[in-house]
Amino acid sequence: FRAGSAPYLRGNFGLAIPHYEQALALERAHSALDKTLWRLLVHNLGTAYGRTGDLQHAKATWDYGLSQDPANPLFHYHLARTYAAMNDRDQAMQSLHAAFRNHRRQDTGESIPDPRQDVSFRQLMLDPVFRTLTESLMLPAI
C-alpha cells in the first residue's frame, strides 16, 4: 500500500496501480488494514484507474468497494463519476442519488463534492434531467 502511495501522490497513477492491486489482493486474502486504510486503498486504486482512463477497472474497483461497504457515499460518488465518463447518464444519476442518500443518513460531518462543480459531470450537466437531479441533491435536507 505504501509503495503505491508515493507515485499516487506524485500523480503517477499508472505506477501506483500495480502496488495498489497487490495490496488489495493481499487484503482480500487476509484482512490486515483497518477500515479507514482499507477505504483509502479502494479509493486510491479506483481513482488511479479512472485517472489513467481504465474505466472498466475503475468501475470494478468501486463495485468491489461497495460490495464490502455498501453505504459508503464517496464510493457511490466516484462510481457516478465513472459512469459519467462512460456516458451512462442513468447509472450516473442512480449512483449520485445513492451517494447523497447515504451521506445524509450517515451525517458524519464529512462533505461530499458538489456535482455541479465537478468537471467529471460537465457533459452531463448539459442534460436538463441530470441538471435537475444535481440541483435537487444540493438542496438542504428537510
Side-chain angles (χ1 to χ4, degrees):
F1 183 31
R2 280 189 219 127
S5 294
Y8 180 91
L9 292 172
R10 288 191 307 268
N12 294 329
F13 302 107
L15 294 176
I17 288 172
H19 298 289
Y20 285 151
E21 285 176 336
Q22 183 178 14
L24 191 57
L26 291 170
E27 187 65 17
R28 283 179 163 176
H30 176 72
S31 182
L33 297 175
D34 68 25
K35 193 169 192 169
T36 300
L37 286 177
W38 177 85
R39 284 177 171 166
L40 184 60
L41 172 59
V42 171
H43 174 271
N44 288 3
L45 180 57
T47 299
Y49 277 131
R51 295 293 294 267
T52 59
D54 189 344
L55 301 178
Q56 291 304 319
H57 278 105
K59 180 187 176 310
T61 303
W62 302 124
D63 285 341
Y64 168 72
L66 288 167
S67 77
Q68 303 301 305
D69 190 4
N72 187 302
L74 289 177
F75 288 176
H76 283 285
Y77 186 86
H78 287 293
L79 182 58
R81 294 177 80 201
T82 302
Y83 280 127
M86 297 168 120
N87 255 345
D88 190 335
R89 179 196 76 168
D90 294 339
Q91 292 291 358
M93 289 174 62
Q94 282 183 331
S95 292
L96 263 184
H97 189 266
F100 280 83
R101 181 181 63 242
N102 286 300
H103 179 259
R104 287 185 176 120
R105 284 183 185 158
Q106 292 179 8
D107 196 23
T108 62
E110 291 183 37
S111 63
I112 193 164
D114 182 341
R116 300 170 302 179
Q117 307 301 317
D118 190 328
V119 296
S120 299
F121 300 115
R122 184 180 328 161
Q123 192 63 33
L124 288 178
M125 288 302 292
L126 300 173
D127 181 308
V129 175
F130 186 85
R131 191 171 51 251
T132 298
L133 172 71
T134 60
E135 293 295 334
S136 72
L137 293 173
M138 296 312 297
L139 294 174
I142 298 175

